[in-house]
């Protein structure tokens, strides 16, 4: 593997030099006002990225998975009912975590490649006249299948049913790279991590709690210690954590949100869309199909690409790493061996992306797939040339 080439996995993402430097800092007293000067701007910045006026932000030394656990354990009790669709590996793992915590999950099995079934959610919520369902889970971007779901539509389903359930959204591979509107969409808990859209090393779980989610703390009885947001909030008031914070990562996060807001969130989203569209043009030129079943659910942060029947898609990932020192993503769960993934989120340019497309082509030709060298690159070049900013 080469340290020179960009990675094309859907997280951890490529790190800009300025963020690597921001993470690398001398030790400081994490109970001093100096730490507060790092912590508070980072919290404020995350709030802006989530597009929320009212959310309380909590950042744990953990990863996105710890963010899920924070969401569940702070707001729910054993036996509480949760509604969730399973349409990929990440929604599956979140459901699994609910079950391990003794929650009663009503699962809507959804084809891998399809988006969240808002209509089905509405039907189930309408039928739940006693309002037993406490939370609706939604994975905004299924990183396993390259599918972006419509969170506004899920909110509409809740509203149409007049149902008071909370809406928890996994935005680990969407937040800070695709449009996310916590307040407008009525999201009660938003979950993300440091190593995807924020372009940092893994190590932070980042969550936003709405006032309604904060109120749920009063009744929730699931055990929690490390992930107790009340302890965390009390610490913040004194420029501290209930334990030792990951100071360097928080300093990096502070720089990351500055970078994102300087570029402008809408410009960040446009850039991701343009880069993704170039990749999709290449996939089309190769004569291959995306796992995403329709245009409206195609993700701007990761493309899962189906390979021909009888071909092991994982070979592409292995060969790319071995021969060219380039990392692509393997297929996970139900689509293991059937897709390979090109991650295109975080710190990436058109030019970097062309190198990934070119590498994928060399690999597929090496492995005997019927692909013409340069075909995908040319399609993406044409797109980038005509859509440059
Ligand atoms: C990466 C990812 C996660 C898991 O995050 P970790 O930081 O690896 O714990 C969860 N959900 C989605 C959608 C992801 O892409």
């Amino acid at each position: 593997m080469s340290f020179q080439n960009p990675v094309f996995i859907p997280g951890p993402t490529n790190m800009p030099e300025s963020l690597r430097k921001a993470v690398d800092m001398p030790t400081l007293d994490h109970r001093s006002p100096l730490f507060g000067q790092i912590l508070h701007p980072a919290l404020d910045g995350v709030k802006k990225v989530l597009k929320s006026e009212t959310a309380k932000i909590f950042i744990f030394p953990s990863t996105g998975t710890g963010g899920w656990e924070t969401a569940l354990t702070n707001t729910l009790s054993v036996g509480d009912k949760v509604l969730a669709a399973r349409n990929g590996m990440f929604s599956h793992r979140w459901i699994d975590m609910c079950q391990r915590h003794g929650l009663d999950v009503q699962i809507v099995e959804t084809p891998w490649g399809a988006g969240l079934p808002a209509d089905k959610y509405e039907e189930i919520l309408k039928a739940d006249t006693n309002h037993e369902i406490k939370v609706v889970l939604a994975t905004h971007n299924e990183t396993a299948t390259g599918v972006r779901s419509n969170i506004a539509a899920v909110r509409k389903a809740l509203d149409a049913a007049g149902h008071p359930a909370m809406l928890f959204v996994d935005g680990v591979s969407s937040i800070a790279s695709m449009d996310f509107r916590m307040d407008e969409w009525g999201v009660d808990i938003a979950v993300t991590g440091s190593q995807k859209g924020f372009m940092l090393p893994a190590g932070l779980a980042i969550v936003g709690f709405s006032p309604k989610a904060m109120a749920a703390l009063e009744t929730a009885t699931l055990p929690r210690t490390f992930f107790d947001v009340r302890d965390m909030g009390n610490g913040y008031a004194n420029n501290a954590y209930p334990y030792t914070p990951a100071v360097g990562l928080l300093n990096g996060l502070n720089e990351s949100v500055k970078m994102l807001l300087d570029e402008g969130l809408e410009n960040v989203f446009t850039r991701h869309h343009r880069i993704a569209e170039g990749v999709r043009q290449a996939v089309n030129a190769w004569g291959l199909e995306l796992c995403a079943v329709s245009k409206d659910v195609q993700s701007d942060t990761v493309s899962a690409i189906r390979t021909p029947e009888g071909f092991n898609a994982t070979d592409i990932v292995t060969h790319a790493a071995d021969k060219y020192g380039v990392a692509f993503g393997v297929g996970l769960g139900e689509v293991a061996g059937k897709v390979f993934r090109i991650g295109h989120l975080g710190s990436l340019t058109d030019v970097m992306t062309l190198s990934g497309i070119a590498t994928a082509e060399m690999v597929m030709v090496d492995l005997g797939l019927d692909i013409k060298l340069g075909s995908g690159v040319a399609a993406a070049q044409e797109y980038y040339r005509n859509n440059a900013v």
Side-chain angles (χ1 to χ4, degrees):
M1 197 49 77
S2 156
F3 284 120
Q4 292 277 293
N5 296 327
V7 293
F8 295 96
I9 47 176
T13 60
N14 300 292
M15 287 185 275
E17 195 64 20
S18 59
L19 296 191
R20 289 181 55 193
K21 286 185 173 147
V23 169
D24 178 2
M25 68 184 303
T27 305
L28 57 82
D29 177 5
H30 60 279
R31 299 185 190 281
S32 69
L34 188 55
F35 174 61
Q37 288 171 26
I38 294 169
L39 173 66
H40 293 292
L43 296 171
D44 291 343
V46 166
K47 207 162 137 176
K48 290 198 183 102
V49 172
L50 295 180
K51 292 189 181 164
S52 179
E53 297 287 330
T54 54
K56 288 250 184 296
I57 310 300
F58 303 102
I59 305 173
F60 293 88
S62 181
T63 70
T65 306
W68 287 341
E69 191 152 332
T70 303
L72 303 178
T73 57
N74 281 279
T75 58
L76 295 168
S77 307
V78 167
D80 276 352
K81 209 160 169 181
V82 170
L83 175 62
R86 175 158 43 209
N87 66 336
M89 197 61 189
F90 292 93
S91 44
H92 166 71
R93 286 186 42 219
W94 205 3
I95 289 167
D96 175 58
M97 181 185 277
C98 289
Q99 291 171 331
R100 293 198 208 186
H101 280 87
L103 301 172
D104 173 11
V105 194
Q106 179 164 356
I107 303 167
V108 183
E109 295 296 349
T110 304
W112 287 40
L116 295 176
D119 293 353
K120 186 79 192 158
Y121 275 0
E122 183 175 330
E123 201 178 292
I124 292 168
L125 291 164
K126 276 185 171 154
D128 181 35
T129 48
N130 293 333
H131 295 165
E132 282 175 13
I133 295 169
K134 294 283 181 277
V135 172
V136 175
L137 299 186
T139 299
H140 186 196
N141 188 70
E142 236 319 333
T143 319
T145 56
V147 164
R148 167 175 42 187
S149 288
N150 186 341
I151 301 302
V154 176
R155 165 45 59 194
K156 250 172 124 181
L158 277 150
D159 292 347
H163 200 291
M166 290 183 286
L167 173 59
F168 292 179
V169 179
D170 172 347
V172 180
S173 62
S174 60
I175 288 167
S177 28
M178 294 194 289
D179 195 14
F180 187 89
R181 308 178 189 191
M182 182 161 182
D183 286 2
E184 192 182 316
W185 296 342
V187 174
D188 290 297
I189 299 185
V191 177
T192 188
S194 50
Q195 80 276 25
K196 295 187 185 175
F198 288 108
M199 307 168 282
L200 292 165
L204 298 177
I206 301 167
V207 296
F209 274 50
S210 75
K212 190 165 159 182
M214 290 304 291
L217 297 177
E218 305 301 326
T219 51
T221 59
L222 276 178
R224 54 186 180 274
T225 35
F226 188 84
F227 290 117
D228 195 316
V229 299
R230 276 198 262 210
D231 294 346
M232 190 55 92
N234 291 338
Y236 289 171
N238 303 309
N239 296 325
Y241 263 49
Y243 32 75
T244 315
V247 178
L249 284 172
L250 286 163
N251 196 51
L253 181 62
N254 201 354
E255 286 304 315
S256 166
V257 291
K258 269 191 213 145
M259 217 173 139
L260 291 162
L261 297 172
D262 278 353
E263 183 177 352
L265 288 179
E266 306 314 310
N267 297 332
V268 170
F269 305 150
T270 304
R271 171 168 57 82
H272 279 84
H273 179 72
R274 189 185 62 249
I275 286 175
E277 198 50 43
V279 171
R280 290 190 281 261
Q281 298 284 331
V283 172
N284 189 46
W286 294 332
L288 297 177
E289 303 272 342
L290 291 171
C291 182
V293 295
S294 55
K295 202 159 176 54
D296 59 312
V297 297
Q298 289 170 352
S299 165
D300 285 342
T301 60
V302 54
S303 294
I305 300 155
R306 287 193 183 277
T307 51
E309 203 67 35
F311 181 88
N312 181 7
T314 302
D315 291 347
I316 292 177
V317 178
T318 313
H319 187 78
D322 289 351
K323 185 165 173 189
Y324 301 109
V326 170
F328 295 108
V330 295
L332 303 171
E334 254 183 47
V335 292
K338 296 180 180 156
V339 306
F340 75 102
R341 295 176 299 156
I342 300 182
H344 35 78
L345 76 162
S347 180
L348 215 56
T349 64
D350 299 353
V351 170
M352 289 160 86
T353 309
L354 286 170
S355 73
I357 295 169
T359 308
E361 271 174 7
M362 292 193 284
V363 170
M364 290 189 286
V365 171
D366 287 350
L367 296 176
L369 287 181
D370 184 19
I371 303 263
K372 191 168 174 299
L373 276 183
S375 58
V377 171
Q381 283 171 322
E382 207 50 54
Y383 184 81
Y384 293 145
R385 218 166 56 78
N386 293 317
N387 291 278
V389 276

